[in-house]
mmCIF file with all atom_site columns, all heavy atoms in Angstrom:
data_model
loop_
_atom_site.group_PDB
_atom_site.id
_atom_site.type_symbol
_atom_site.label_atom_id
_atom_site.label_alt_id
_atom_site.label_comp_id
_atom_site.label_asym_id
_atom_site.label_entity_id
_atom_site.label_seq_id
_atom_site.pdbx_PDB_ins_code
_atom_site.Cartn_x
_atom_site.Cartn_y
_atom_site.Cartn_z
_atom_site.occupancy
_atom_site.B_iso_or_equiv
_atom_site.pdbx_formal_charge
_atom_site.auth_seq_id
_atom_site.auth_comp_id
_atom_site.auth_asym_id
_atom_site.auth_atom_id
_atom_site.pdbx_PDB_model_num
ATOM 1   N N   . GLU A 1 204 ? -24.649 15.267 -33.384 1.00 97.00 ? 464 GLU A N   1
ATOM 2   C CA  . GLU A 1 204 ? -25.917 15.438 -34.102 1.00 97.00 ? 464 GLU A CA  1
ATOM 3   C C   . GLU A 1 204 ? -26.935 14.333 -33.840 1.00 97.00 ? 464 GLU A C   1
ATOM 4   O O   . GLU A 1 204 ? -27.654 13.886 -34.725 1.00 97.00 ? 464 GLU A O   1
ATOM 5   C CB  . GLU A 1 204 ? -25.653 15.623 -35.602 1.00 97.00 ? 464 GLU A CB  1
ATOM 6   C CG  . GLU A 1 204 ? -24.892 16.916 -35.837 1.00 97.00 ? 464 GLU A CG  1
ATOM 7   C CD  . GLU A 1 204 ? -24.480 17.135 -37.281 1.00 97.00 ? 464 GLU A CD  1
ATOM 8   O OE1 . GLU A 1 204 ? -24.782 16.258 -38.112 1.00 97.00 ? 464 GLU A OE1 1
ATOM 9   O OE2 . GLU A 1 204 ? -23.867 18.176 -37.556 1.00 97.00 ? 464 GLU A OE2 1
ATOM 10  N N   . ILE A 1 205 ? -26.973 13.873 -32.605 1.00 98.00 ? 465 ILE A N   1
ATOM 11  C CA  . ILE A 1 205 ? -28.069 12.995 -32.181 1.00 98.00 ? 465 ILE A CA  1
ATOM 12  C C   . ILE A 1 205 ? -29.160 13.915 -31.631 1.00 98.00 ? 465 ILE A C   1
ATOM 13  O O   . ILE A 1 205 ? -28.921 14.644 -30.665 1.00 98.00 ? 465 ILE A O   1
ATOM 14  C CB  . ILE A 1 205 ? -27.625 12.012 -31.075 1.00 98.00 ? 465 ILE A CB  1
ATOM 15  C CG1 . ILE A 1 205 ? -26.588 11.034 -31.618 1.00 98.00 ? 465 ILE A CG1 1
ATOM 16  C CG2 . ILE A 1 205 ? -28.825 11.271 -30.493 1.00 98.00 ? 465 ILE A CG2 1
ATOM 17  C CD1 . ILE A 1 205 ? -25.971 10.117 -30.565 1.00 98.00 ? 465 ILE A CD1 1
ATOM 18  N N   . PRO A 1 206 ? -30.357 13.915 -32.258 1.00 98.00 ? 466 PRO A N   1
ATOM 19  C CA  . PRO A 1 206 ? -31.389 14.846 -31.805 1.00 98.00 ? 466 PRO A CA  1
ATOM 20  C C   . PRO A 1 206 ? -31.803 14.569 -30.349 1.00 98.00 ? 466 PRO A C   1
ATOM 21  O O   . PRO A 1 206 ? -31.922 13.415 -29.932 1.00 98.00 ? 466 PRO A O   1
ATOM 22  C CB  . PRO A 1 206 ? -32.564 14.580 -32.749 1.00 98.00 ? 466 PRO A CB  1
ATOM 23  C CG  . PRO A 1 206 ? -31.999 13.811 -33.881 1.00 98.00 ? 466 PRO A CG  1
ATOM 24  C CD  . PRO A 1 206 ? -30.782 13.096 -33.383 1.00 98.00 ? 466 PRO A CD  1
ATOM 25  N N   . LEU A 1 207 ? -31.988 15.665 -29.614 1.00 98.00 ? 467 LEU A N   1
ATOM 26  C CA  . LEU A 1 207 ? -32.264 15.569 -28.179 1.00 98.00 ? 467 LEU A CA  1
ATOM 27  C C   . LEU A 1 207 ? -33.235 16.687 -27.857 1.00 98.00 ? 467 LEU A C   1
ATOM 28  O O   . LEU A 1 207 ? -33.097 17.798 -28.383 1.00 98.00 ? 467 LEU A O   1
ATOM 29  C CB  . LEU A 1 207 ? -30.926 15.810 -27.483 1.00 98.00 ? 467 LEU A CB  1
ATOM 30  C CG  . LEU A 1 207 ? -30.852 15.797 -25.982 1.00 98.00 ? 467 LEU A CG  1
ATOM 31  C CD1 . LEU A 1 207 ? -30.626 14.356 -25.530 1.00 98.00 ? 467 LEU A CD1 1
ATOM 32  C CD2 . LEU A 1 207 ? -29.661 16.644 -25.525 1.00 98.00 ? 467 LEU A CD2 1
ATOM 33  N N   . HIS A 1 208 ? -34.206 16.396 -27.015 1.00 98.00 ? 468 HIS A N   1
ATOM 34  C CA  . HIS A 1 208 ? -35.154 17.438 -26.655 1.00 98.00 ? 468 HIS A CA  1
ATOM 35  C C   . HIS A 1 208 ? -35.086 17.675 -25.149 1.00 98.00 ? 468 HIS A C   1
ATOM 36  O O   . HIS A 1 208 ? -35.277 16.749 -24.370 1.00 98.00 ? 468 HIS A O   1
ATOM 37  C CB  . HIS A 1 208 ? -36.562 17.022 -27.084 1.00 98.00 ? 468 HIS A CB  1
ATOM 38  C CG  . HIS A 1 208 ? -37.562 18.091 -26.888 1.00 98.00 ? 468 HIS A CG  1
ATOM 39  N ND1 . HIS A 1 208 ? -37.595 19.236 -27.666 1.00 98.00 ? 468 HIS A ND1 1
ATOM 40  C CD2 . HIS A 1 208 ? -38.546 18.230 -25.971 1.00 98.00 ? 468 HIS A CD2 1
ATOM 41  C CE1 . HIS A 1 208 ? -38.567 20.017 -27.226 1.00 98.00 ? 468 HIS A CE1 1
ATOM 42  N NE2 . HIS A 1 208 ? -39.157 19.429 -26.197 1.00 98.00 ? 468 HIS A NE2 1
ATOM 43  N N   . VAL A 1 209 ? -34.776 18.907 -24.782 1.00 98.00 ? 469 VAL A N   1
ATOM 44  C CA  . VAL A 1 209 ? -34.661 19.222 -23.352 1.00 98.00 ? 469 VAL A CA  1
ATOM 45  C C   . VAL A 1 209 ? -35.731 20.244 -23.004 1.00 98.00 ? 469 VAL A C   1
ATOM 46  O O   . VAL A 1 209 ? -35.823 21.305 -23.633 1.00 98.00 ? 469 VAL A O   1
ATOM 47  C CB  . VAL A 1 209 ? -33.267 19.811 -23.008 1.00 98.00 ? 469 VAL A CB  1
ATOM 48  C CG1 . VAL A 1 209 ? -33.166 20.093 -21.507 1.00 98.00 ? 469 VAL A CG1 1
ATOM 49  C CG2 . VAL A 1 209 ? -32.159 18.865 -23.443 1.00 98.00 ? 469 VAL A CG2 1
ATOM 50  N N   . GLU A 1 210 ? -36.561 19.901 -22.016 1.00 98.00 ? 470 GLU A N   1
ATOM 51  C CA  . GLU A 1 210 ? -37.581 20.839 -21.575 1.00 98.00 ? 470 GLU A CA  1
ATOM 52  C C   . GLU A 1 210 ? -37.567 20.840 -20.055 1.00 98.00 ? 470 GLU A C   1
ATOM 53  O O   . GLU A 1 210 ? -38.023 19.874 -19.423 1.00 98.00 ? 470 GLU A O   1
ATOM 54  C CB  . GLU A 1 210 ? -38.941 20.393 -22.109 1.00 98.00 ? 470 GLU A CB  1
ATOM 55  C CG  . GLU A 1 210 ? -39.891 21.549 -22.244 1.00 98.00 ? 470 GLU A CG  1
ATOM 56  C CD  . GLU A 1 210 ? -41.165 21.129 -22.950 1.00 98.00 ? 470 GLU A CD  1
ATOM 57  O OE1 . GLU A 1 210 ? -41.097 20.345 -23.919 1.00 98.00 ? 470 GLU A OE1 1
ATOM 58  O OE2 . GLU A 1 210 ? -42.224 21.568 -22.497 1.00 98.00 ? 470 GLU A OE2 1
ATOM 59  N N   . GLY A 1 211 ? -36.979 21.864 -19.479 1.00 97.00 ? 471 GLY A N   1
ATOM 60  C CA  . GLY A 1 211 ? -36.831 21.890 -18.022 1.00 97.00 ? 471 GLY A CA  1
ATOM 61  C C   . GLY A 1 211 ? -36.004 20.691 -17.574 1.00 97.00 ? 471 GLY A C   1
ATOM 62  O O   . GLY A 1 211 ? -34.887 20.471 -18.036 1.00 97.00 ? 471 GLY A O   1
ATOM 63  N N   . LEU A 1 212 ? -36.619 19.891 -16.711 1.00 98.00 ? 472 LEU A N   1
ATOM 64  C CA  . LEU A 1 212 ? -35.887 18.739 -16.162 1.00 98.00 ? 472 LEU A CA  1
ATOM 65  C C   . LEU A 1 212 ? -36.168 17.449 -16.945 1.00 98.00 ? 472 LEU A C   1
ATOM 66  O O   . LEU A 1 212 ? -35.803 16.363 -16.505 1.00 98.00 ? 472 LEU A O   1
ATOM 67  C CB  . LEU A 1 212 ? -36.261 18.547 -14.692 1.00 98.00 ? 472 LEU A CB  1
ATOM 68  C CG  . LEU A 1 212 ? -35.785 19.679 -13.758 1.00 98.00 ? 472 LEU A CG  1
ATOM 69  C CD1 . LEU A 1 212 ? -36.340 19.500 -12.354 1.00 98.00 ? 472 LEU A CD1 1
ATOM 70  C CD2 . LEU A 1 212 ? -34.260 19.732 -13.715 1.00 98.00 ? 472 LEU A CD2 1
ATOM 71  N N   . GLU A 1 213 ? -36.841 17.585 -18.106 1.00 98.00 ? 473 GLU A N   1
ATOM 72  C CA  . GLU A 1 213 ? -37.140 16.395 -18.923 1.00 98.00 ? 473 GLU A CA  1
ATOM 73  C C   . GLU A 1 213 ? -36.233 16.363 -20.140 1.00 98.00 ? 473 GLU A C   1
ATOM 74  O O   . GLU A 1 213 ? -36.141 17.332 -20.886 1.00 98.00 ? 473 GLU A O   1
ATOM 75  C CB  . GLU A 1 213 ? -38.591 16.429 -19.410 1.00 98.00 ? 473 GLU A CB  1
ATOM 76  C CG  . GLU A 1 213 ? -39.587 16.313 -18.285 1.00 98.00 ? 473 GLU A CG  1
ATOM 77  C CD  . GLU A 1 213 ? -40.985 15.959 -18.802 1.00 98.00 ? 473 GLU A CD  1
ATOM 78  O OE1 . GLU A 1 213 ? -41.141 15.586 -19.998 1.00 98.00 ? 473 GLU A OE1 1
ATOM 79  O OE2 . GLU A 1 213 ? -41.911 16.057 -17.999 1.00 98.00 ? 473 GLU A OE2 1
ATOM 80  N N   . ILE A 1 214 ? -35.589 15.232 -20.352 1.00 99.00 ? 474 ILE A N   1
ATOM 81  C CA  . ILE A 1 214 ? -34.695 15.080 -21.505 1.00 99.00 ? 474 ILE A CA  1
ATOM 82  C C   . ILE A 1 214 ? -35.178 13.884 -22.304 1.00 99.00 ? 474 ILE A C   1
ATOM 83  O O   . ILE A 1 214 ? -35.356 12.790 -21.746 1.00 99.00 ? 474 ILE A O   1
ATOM 84  C CB  . ILE A 1 214 ? -33.235 14.846 -21.056 1.00 99.00 ? 474 ILE A CB  1
ATOM 85  C CG1 . ILE A 1 214 ? -32.798 15.984 -20.128 1.00 99.00 ? 474 ILE A CG1 1
ATOM 86  C CG2 . ILE A 1 214 ? -32.291 14.789 -22.245 1.00 99.00 ? 474 ILE A CG2 1
ATOM 87  C CD1 . ILE A 1 214 ? -32.465 15.529 -18.769 1.00 99.00 ? 474 ILE A CD1 1
ATOM 88  N N   . SER A 1 215 ? -35.395 14.075 -23.615 1.00 99.00 ? 475 SER A N   1
ATOM 89  C CA  . SER A 1 215 ? -35.924 12.979 -24.433 1.00 99.00 ? 475 SER A CA  1
ATOM 90  C C   . SER A 1 215 ? -35.037 12.715 -25.639 1.00 99.00 ? 475 SER A C   1
ATOM 91  O O   . SER A 1 215 ? -34.462 13.642 -26.221 1.00 99.00 ? 475 SER A O   1
ATOM 92  C CB  . SER A 1 215 ? -37.322 13.328 -24.968 1.00 99.00 ? 475 SER A CB  1
ATOM 93  O OG  . SER A 1 215 ? -38.174 13.678 -23.899 1.00 99.00 ? 475 SER A OG  1
ATOM 94  N N   . VAL A 1 216 ? -34.953 11.429 -25.999 1.00 99.00 ? 476 VAL A N   1
ATOM 95  C CA  . VAL A 1 216 ? -34.347 11.044 -27.277 1.00 99.00 ? 476 VAL A CA  1
ATOM 96  C C   . VAL A 1 216 ? -35.321 10.137 -28.012 1.00 99.00 ? 476 VAL A C   1
ATOM 97  O O   . VAL A 1 216 ? -36.068 9.373  -27.385 1.00 99.00 ? 476 VAL A O   1
ATOM 98  C CB  . VAL A 1 216 ? -33.004 10.281 -27.112 1.00 99.00 ? 476 VAL A CB  1
ATOM 99  C CG1 . VAL A 1 216 ? -31.892 11.201 -26.688 1.00 99.00 ? 476 VAL A CG1 1
ATOM 100 C CG2 . VAL A 1 216 ? -33.111 9.092  -26.177 1.00 99.00 ? 476 VAL A CG2 1
ATOM 101 N N   . GLN A 1 217 ? -35.270 10.203 -29.317 1.00 98.00 ? 477 GLN A N   1
ATOM 102 C CA  . GLN A 1 217 ? -36.075 9.317  -30.142 1.00 98.00 ? 477 GLN A CA  1
ATOM 103 C C   . GLN A 1 217 ? -35.207 8.108  -30.479 1.00 98.00 ? 477 GLN A C   1
ATOM 104 O O   . GLN A 1 217 ? -34.078 8.280  -30.953 1.00 98.00 ? 477 GLN A O   1
ATOM 105 C CB  . GLN A 1 217 ? -36.485 10.089 -31.416 1.00 98.00 ? 477 GLN A CB  1
ATOM 106 C CG  . GLN A 1 217 ? -37.590 9.450  -32.214 1.00 98.00 ? 477 GLN A CG  1
ATOM 107 C CD  . GLN A 1 217 ? -38.915 9.353  -31.440 1.00 98.00 ? 477 GLN A CD  1
ATOM 108 O OE1 . GLN A 1 217 ? -39.315 10.285 -30.762 1.00 98.00 ? 477 GLN A OE1 1
ATOM 109 N NE2 . GLN A 1 217 ? -39.568 8.188  -31.536 1.00 98.00 ? 477 GLN A NE2 1
ATOM 110 N N   . GLY A 1 218 ? -35.697 6.900  -30.216 1.00 98.00 ? 478 GLY A N   1
ATOM 111 C CA  . GLY A 1 218 ? -34.891 5.706  -30.454 1.00 98.00 ? 478 GLY A CA  1
ATOM 112 C C   . GLY A 1 218 ? -34.667 5.438  -31.940 1.00 98.00 ? 478 GLY A C   1
ATOM 113 O O   . GLY A 1 218 ? -35.483 5.812  -32.782 1.00 98.00 ? 478 GLY A O   1
ATOM 114 N N   . PHE A 1 219 ? -33.547 4.796  -32.252 1.00 98.00 ? 479 PHE A N   1
ATOM 115 C CA  . PHE A 1 219 ? -33.218 4.425  -33.628 1.00 98.00 ? 479 PHE A CA  1
ATOM 116 C C   . PHE A 1 219 ? -33.426 2.924  -33.842 1.00 98.00 ? 479 PHE A C   1
ATOM 117 O O   . PHE A 1 219 ? -33.043 2.385  -34.869 1.00 98.00 ? 479 PHE A O   1
ATOM 118 C CB  . PHE A 1 219 ? -31.757 4.776  -33.929 1.00 98.00 ? 479 PHE A CB  1
ATOM 119 C CG  . PHE A 1 219 ? -31.478 6.256  -33.931 1.00 98.00 ? 479 PHE A CG  1
ATOM 120 C CD1 . PHE A 1 219 ? -31.217 6.938  -32.752 1.00 98.00 ? 479 PHE A CD1 1
ATOM 121 C CD2 . PHE A 1 219 ? -31.483 6.973  -35.127 1.00 98.00 ? 479 PHE A CD2 1
ATOM 122 C CE1 . PHE A 1 219 ? -30.964 8.298  -32.751 1.00 98.00 ? 479 PHE A CE1 1
ATOM 123 C CE2 . PHE A 1 219 ? -31.232 8.334  -35.129 1.00 98.00 ? 479 PHE A CE2 1
ATOM 124 C CZ  . PHE A 1 219 ? -30.972 9.009  -33.945 1.00 98.00 ? 479 PHE A CZ  1
ATOM 125 N N   . GLY A 1 220 ? -33.959 2.215  -32.835 1.00 98.00 ? 480 GLY A N   1
ATOM 126 C CA  . GLY A 1 220 ? -34.099 0.760  -32.941 1.00 98.00 ? 480 GLY A CA  1
ATOM 127 C C   . GLY A 1 220 ? -32.760 0.079  -32.689 1.00 98.00 ? 480 GLY A C   1
ATOM 128 O O   . GLY A 1 220 ? -31.760 0.735  -32.398 1.00 98.00 ? 480 GLY A O   1
#
Side-chain angles (χ1 to χ4, degrees):
E464 295 175 359
I465 294 174
L467 179 87
H468 186 71
V469 181
E470 206 172 320
L472 293 173
E473 294 196 12
I474 305 117
S475 305
V476 287
Q477 194 63 43
F479 293 84

